[in-house]
Every structure is written in C-alpha cells, then in structure tokens.
Amino acid sequence: MKKRPTPPSSSSSPQAAFSPSRLWLGLQLLFWASVFACSLALIRIAARSASPDAVVGEEPPVTVGPSKIAFLFLARSNLPLDFNAEEEKFSIYVHSEPGFVFDKTTTRSPFFFGRHLRDSIKVIWGESTMVEAERLLLASALKDPSNQRFALISDSCVPLYNFSYIYDYVMSSPKSFVDSFLVKKEGRYSPKMFPTIPRDRWRKGSQWITLVRKHAKIVVDDTVVFPAFRRFCKHLTGEALGGKQKNKEAAQEEHDCITDEHYVQTLFSSFLMTIDMVAQSYAKVNMTQLDDELERRTLTYTSWNQSIDVKDKRSWHPKTFEFADASPQDIIEIKSINHIYYETEYRTEWCQCNAKFVPCFLFARKFSRSAAMRILNDDLVGPFDAGSLFFPDS
C-alpha cells in the first residue's frame, strides 16, 4: 500500500504559495469578484433603462411653427362631420376599413382627403385589433415632430367648443388625459398575465385618450404589456361562449376581456421593461409608474345605457344622441359637468387643467349625423376666451 506524499509545509519551500488549495481559493475569489462586477454593471444598465425617457429615445427637433394637436380618428368607412380649425395647429390621421379612401366622393371636408392610413387593418370590436389600430395612428402621427398632443377621436364624436378653446385647453396641460380606475369585482383580468401584469396594476377606463408626446411614444414602443394583452385578453363572441345562456354568462364573467378599455390604463399603471441579459434569460425592472403624470379622466363625454335587468350585459352600451337629444339645453348640461365620481375608488375627480378648475369634457359621443349637424347649425359650439381660463395672469 502506497503512502500519499505529505504536502510540503509553508516553511519548507517558497513554492508553497502556489499550493492547489491556495490557487483554488484565489480562483474562487476572482470568480465572485467578476460576478459582483457584472451584477453591478447590469444594475446600472437596468437603472438607465428604467427611465421612461430611455425608452422614448431622443426626440427630433421641433420644426418651426406652433405645436400641433394630432387628431387620430378611428372610423369605419366614413366621417360625417366637417372640420374647421386653424390649419397650422392641427394634424389629422384616420384609421378606417382597409381599402377605404377619403376623397371628394366619401367626405365633405377637404381636411380628410388622403389622411387615411395606407396600412390599416381589419378591426374587430373588443379585440386587440382595436388597440393595434390606435398604435398605428400614434406611430404615424409621431413622425411629425410638430405633433405634441395626440387625441383619439371616435367617428361619432362632436366638439363641444370651438377649436381655439380646445387647443388652449389641451396644450396648457403638461399631462395626458387618460381615464383610469381600479376594477375590484370584474373578472376580465386573467391570472395568466402575471407577472407581466400584476393583478393590483389592472386598470379600466375609456379608450378615448389624449396623450403628450412622451406617453404616445411609450404606447408605440411597448413590446411587453401589449403582447400579454394580445395573448390573454380576448373578447368572446356568442359562438365562442356556447349556445346556452347560462354557460355564456359564466364564461363571460370569467374570461371575457375588452382590450381597448384596459390596455393604455394598465400599461401606464404597471410600466415594465424586459431586459435581455443572457440568452433566454430575462429580468423585469419595475419602471416609474406614470399615474402621477396623468389627468385620470377622459375629455370625451359618453352616456351609457343600462337595462333594468342588470344581468343583461348586452344592454350596457353608449347611448346614441339623436336630433331631439341635441338641444341647446342638452349640450349646456354636458358642458356644465365639472367633476366625475369613481365608485370603485371612492374618488371624486374635480376637473382641472393647468391647476385651474375647468369643464370636464371637450367632446361628446355618440351623435347621429342629424344630431351633429344640429349642434353645428345652431351654433352651439360658441366662441370662448380660452386664454383667460387657462393661463395665469401676467
């Protein structure tokens, strides 16, 4: 039986410093030092990436001239209203049915000629295609650096004020107008969205938003939250839900989800960024929540019908204003609204702009053509001294 050689003592040779045990210890220290340095570098990268400005990227210089409001119209195949405004202060972009052309034969207003997107898609109500259309509109409008506000408009919207009032109202606020509130009882949230979208960050609100340029870019650049919506947030049709009403209601309560009523609100509430660190390895960095950068309300008034039978969810839809509903008194009542109450948050939102109390709504929907023309013909969109309302005395 052979004996193992006895390791030399530290005093027996100067080569003892290079013993296997010490060498192994040194390699371990070097390894952990490298891990620490890499971790520190990644933290710094994440910190830089966690700024919304980093996602938005460097802005192109604004061209000479006034800042513009980009009106983004979601239309099916027509826009019944005329458009009258100061041309140098607005831009128009229209998403309509693929192949539909806005020209002299399809619209009465030359402002809409040729303003339809060439890459429009087929939109299905309640599906992610509605948000895809919104993102296409925003992406197109962002190409013009003069566009500094982005207002999503329905094809059945009417203005409640003249353009000068609307322009000063929107431009005087540094915030976006996004209706956003908590949803406590509704079953639209899918647990499969976690951890990309935490349950406590799920929000609901009107799709009719008005964004500052920074927030418009965040919506367009999002590659994390929207894919989760597209995958897990589905609007289930009657066929998909099954023939029996009982099964239909049960499936609707558990799974039915309307993307356009949740996406932007949830994106701004749970703004996440995914960083590709190593192949197929991801880390999520919770970014600055954008709630504080929003006026949490919409600028578009909608009146909702609700059936006496609360179980009949199909009755919960926007009221269409007809000619008889567009009297001067009706319009005055809408324009006099100065606060909104959110039941799920026990919150009263007193409408402000530039730290001053203002009427809540600039637009209203859904108006039939006859009702819209009555508003315009009766000159219910009267002149207002917007400057005295929104800008502090000098």
Side-chain angles (χ1 to χ4, degrees), residues 326-364:
S327 68
Q329 185 59 38
D330 292 320
I331 302 305
I332 289 173
E333 288 180 4
I334 297 174
K335 292 165 72 170
S336 66
I337 298 172
N338 60 4
H339 69 279
I340 306 167
Y341 179 67
Y342 293 91
E343 294 181 1
T344 59
E345 299 180 356
Y346 308 104
R347 169 172 63 95
T348 298
E349 188 79 15
W350 292 93
C351 300
Q352 298 185 58
C353 187
N354 198 29
K356 292 193 175 183
F357 293 104
V358 293
C360 292
F361 301 109
L362 298 179
F363 310 97

Side-chain angles (χ1 to χ4, degrees), residues 81-209:
L81 295 182
D82 202 344
F83 198 89
N84 184 22
E86 301 170 55
E87 191 170 357
E88 72 278 4
K89 291 185 178 181
F90 74 92
S91 303
I92 289 179
Y93 303 83
V94 183
H95 185 284
S96 59
E97 293 282 345
F100 188 87
V101 176
F102 282 89
D103 55 22
K104 293 180 180 179
T105 66
T106 56
T107 178
R108 58 179 291 172
S109 175
F111 287 119
F112 294 119
F113 292 173
R115 299 311 302 165
H116 51 279
L117 301 188
R118 308 293 177 175
D119 57 347
S120 65
I121 62 173
K122 179 68 176 178
V123 172
I124 301 175
W125 183 86
E127 289 286 355
S128 61
T129 50
M130 181 75 77
V131 172
E132 288 183 37
E134 296 175 13
R135 283 159 55 98
L136 286 171
L137 284 166
L138 288 168
S140 183
L142 281 167
K143 295 177 182 178
D144 183 352
S146 295
N147 292 330
Q148 294 296 311
R149 300 294 187 275
F150 304 80
L152 191 65
I153 303 293
S154 163
D155 57 5
S156 62
C157 275
V158 295
L160 297 174
Y161 300 92
N162 61 25
F163 178 76
S164 176
Y165 183 93
I166 293 173
Y167 182 88
D168 289 335
Y169 189 120
V170 173
M171 285 297 184
S172 66
S173 175
K175 296 185 176 184
S176 293
F177 294 87
V178 178
D179 188 41
S180 178
F181 53 90
L182 292 169
V183 188
K184 296 181 178 179
K185 296 181 180 180
E186 205 172 53
R188 292 182 179 180
Y189 174 81
S190 171
K192 295 179 180 179
M193 292 180 173
F194 184 85
T196 301
I197 303 173
R199 179 65 179 85
D200 64 344
R201 296 302 172 193
W202 183 252
R203 298 289 187 274
K204 184 180 180 182
S206 169
Q207 75 177 108
W208 309 110
I209 56 179

Side-chain angles (χ1 to χ4, degrees), residues 369-381:
R369 179 177 176 81
S370 61
M373 296 312 299
R374 179 179 183 181
I375 292 175
L376 298 179
N377 291 336
D378 290 352
D379 198 24
L380 300 182
V381 182

Side-chain angles (χ1 to χ4, degrees), residues 207-245:
Q207 75 177 108
W208 309 110
I209 56 179
T210 300
L211 303 180
V212 299
R213 188 174 179 90
K214 167 185 166 182
H215 294 159
K217 285 186 64 64
I218 288 173
V219 173
V220 171
D221 292 342
D222 171 36
T223 59
V224 177
V225 176
F226 183 61
F229 267 87
R230 186 159 47 191
R231 184 177 179 186
F232 299 116
C233 188
K234 304 290 184 181
H235 171 57
L236 304 182
T237 62
E239 293 79 5
L241 290 168
K244 294 183 178 180
Q245 184 68 23

Side-chain angles (χ1 to χ4, degrees), residues 281-350:
S281 177
Y282 298 89
K284 293 190 173 85
V285 180
N286 196 3
M287 301 187 71
T288 304
Q289 295 173 23
L290 301 179
D291 282 351
D292 292 340
E293 299 181 16
L294 309 177
E295 293 284 356
R296 293 173 58 196
R297 59 186 177 89
T298 180
L299 297 179
T300 300
Y301 173 81
T302 305
S303 177
W304 292 90
N305 284 337
Q306 188 171 19
S307 169
I308 296 175
D309 182 3
V310 295
K311 294 182 180 180
D312 183 10
K313 296 184 180 181
R314 293 171 299 176
S315 67
W316 186 249
H317 58 84
K319 171 185 175 180
T320 297
F321 290 86
E322 302 294 346
F323 184 89
D325 305 312
S327 68
Q329 185 59 38
D330 292 320
I331 302 305
I332 289 173
E333 288 180 4
I334 297 174
K335 292 165 72 170
S336 66
I337 298 172
N338 60 4
H339 69 279
I340 306 167
Y341 179 67
Y342 293 91
E343 294 181 1
T344 59
E345 299 180 356
Y346 308 104
R347 169 172 63 95
T348 298
E349 188 79 15
W350 292 93

